[in-house]
Amino acid sequence: MAEPEWMNEVRALVGKEYGRVYGWDPVNLPMARQWAEIMGIDNPHYASGEVVPPAMLQVWCMEGPQTNHYPPGSTTENPYEVLKLIEAQGHPAVVAVNSELEFDRYLRPGERIYYTTRLDAVGPEKTTALGTGYFVTLVMTYWSQREGGDEKVGQLLFRVFKFRPTQAAQPAAVVSEAEARPAPKRPAPGISDDTRFFWDGARAGALLIQRCKGCSALRHPPGPSCPRCHSFDWDTVRASGYGKVYSFVVMHYPEVPPFEHPNPIGLIELDEGTRLVAQLVGVRPADVRIGQRVLVEFNRFEVGAPGGSDDIVLPQFRPLPETAAAAAASEVR
Ligand code: ZN
């Protein structure tokens, strides 16, 4: 299918390099320490202050709370101009789909970092469950300023889908036809040999936590080796199912069927100490509270493509009534 004429302007931008965006501050230990604290990273490797966590790469050149407030000398060009062009043609929605960081080496305190941006690719028109639009890929290259030539230290690939939402674009007659189709099913989770026990457990009505046989540490999400003692031997323990809301988000947009919206998702801290992400049920999103006592329940869902017959049992968490919550808390102590 031939592309619309307005895409010529978009295609002409592919490959364009955008100028430097500088960091406000050099790589420094106070920011690294605060970042590690917020992210829950307690790695003695970083405590010496010789190097900073690689995953902070993007942090050093962020604008801060004020939009488009970059240090003097930074480019005034907008590396996202291509998104404006696509938006002007009736594709208002955007969702980030990939963010891939690559690190060439560790950064050390005192280094001055900047990045440049290249519009790497704009894909052909694609129709997804969300709508019809274009995948746009930008690559940010990070540099350390040095006498005698700046050094590349890492890269960020950032891909977004700029699209026209399915429902908003359809005339009423087409929407009713869409409504007549079988309801979409939940996407199936990726299940590997490392994680199968968890899903099998849920199917049997048990919330299982992986336990290291070397040092007895519990861990979640499941993985092949113990992050504490590196043992590959493990078994599982059955959780009580009680926990509390450690944190949560309420998903408002994009609205992806078959999920209900707004959709409250909890980071649940089990009484055994591990945390897992799960949907909250039986509670209005506005009533979710951090610290709320919750109890697991297991619910079956059909998954996969329409017409498929696969199903999955998901652990979900329901807030306990206040009095029951108090009783459950004392029972655990
Ligand atoms: Zn261990």
Side-chain angles (χ1 to χ4, degrees):
M1 192 180 72
E3 286 198 323
E5 201 165 307
W6 61 265
M7 273 299 285
N8 294 342
E9 203 180 340
V10 169
R11 295 271 168 234
L13 289 175
V14 175
K16 180 170 174 179
E17 305 263 0
Y18 296 83
R20 299 179 179 191
V21 174
Y22 290 98
W24 277 106
D25 300 295
V27 173
N28 66 86
L29 292 178
M31 273 173 68
R33 189 194 63 73
Q34 288 165 32
W35 185 89
E37 185 180 333
I38 290 165
M39 302 300 278
I41 292 170
D42 181 20
N43 186 333
H45 191 56
Y46 304 130
S48 70
E50 250 184 75
V51 298
V52 297
M56 286 188 74
L57 185 62
Q58 239 188 314
V59 172
W60 303 114
C61 300
M62 280 188 169
E63 60 199 303
Q66 295 177 59
T67 309
N68 291 329
H69 182 52
Y70 293 106
S74 298
T75 181
T76 55
E77 287 185 304
N78 179 1
Y80 300 100
E81 62 179 329
V82 66
L83 300 184
K84 291 193 166 183
L85 292 178
I86 298 174
E87 180 160 334
Q89 300 299 328
H91 302 79
V94 64
V95 60
V97 290
N98 292 68
S99 177
E100 294 167 13
L101 279 166
E102 286 175 26
F103 315 112
D104 291 24
R105 65 161 171 83
Y106 282 103
L107 297 184
R108 297 173 189 283
E111 291 195 76
R112 289 226 162 241
I113 306 298
Y114 67 89
Y115 71 86
T116 56
T117 304
R118 185 179 80 252
L119 174 57
D120 190 61
V122 178
E125 187 187 81
K126 278 269 192 319
T127 297
T128 74
L130 292 175
T132 299
Y134 299 87
F135 286 93
V136 175
T137 307
L138 294 153
V139 175
M140 286 78 163
T141 305
Y142 285 77
W143 304 85
S144 177
Q145 290 179 265
R146 286 160 70 113
E147 303 262 339
D150 298 344
E151 181 189 3
K152 177 173 172 274
V153 292
Q155 181 173 293
L156 167 66
L157 178 149
F158 189 60
R159 183 174 293 135
V160 299
F161 185 51
K162 192 78 179 118
F163 65 102
R164 184 173 64 234
T166 305
Q167 286 170 344
Q170 286 177 336
V174 182
V175 171
S176 59
E177 188 184 302
E179 282 167 354
R181 287 201 298 265
K185 295 170 181 174
R186 289 182 180 236
I191 298 179
S192 71
D193 288 345
D194 292 323
T195 62
R196 186 163 291 110
F197 76 90
F198 180 82
W199 302 106
D200 288 347
R203 194 171 285 278
L207 186 62
L208 299 182
I209 310 173
Q210 202 174 23
R211 175 174 58 189
C212 173
K213 276 186 166 177
C215 71
S216 300
L218 301 178
R219 63 179 189 259
H220 188 89
S225 80
C226 174
R228 198 160 89 178
C229 77
H230 310 300
S231 167
F232 285 94
D233 295 327
W234 57 270
D235 59 6
T236 59
V237 290
R238 181 174 180 163
S240 67
Y242 286 104
K244 66 178 185 195
V245 176
Y246 183 82
S247 185
F248 69 97
V249 293
V250 178
M251 179 95 171
H252 290 267
Y253 194 82
E255 295 189 0
V256 182
F259 298 98
E260 285 174 17
H261 292 85
N263 184 12
I265 314 280
L267 177 60
I268 307 301
E269 185 166 275
L270 299 177
D271 286 350
E272 289 78 8
T274 55
R275 296 175 194 154
L276 76 164
V277 174
Q279 194 172 4
L280 293 162
V281 293
V283 60
R284 290 187 311 161
D287 294 338
V288 181
R289 296 282 178 270
I290 285 176
Q292 208 162 23
R293 294 287 293 165
V294 292
L295 178 61
V296 74
E297 63 182 45
F298 296 93
N299 294 309
R300 197 188 71 84
F301 296 92
E302 292 190 357
V303 294
S309 60
D310 282 354
D311 66 351
I312 186 130
V313 175
L314 293 176
Q316 301 187 314
F317 286 83
R318 183 178 294 268
L320 294 169
E322 297 275 308
T323 46
S330 62
E331 183 185 307
V332 167
R333 272 188 214 109

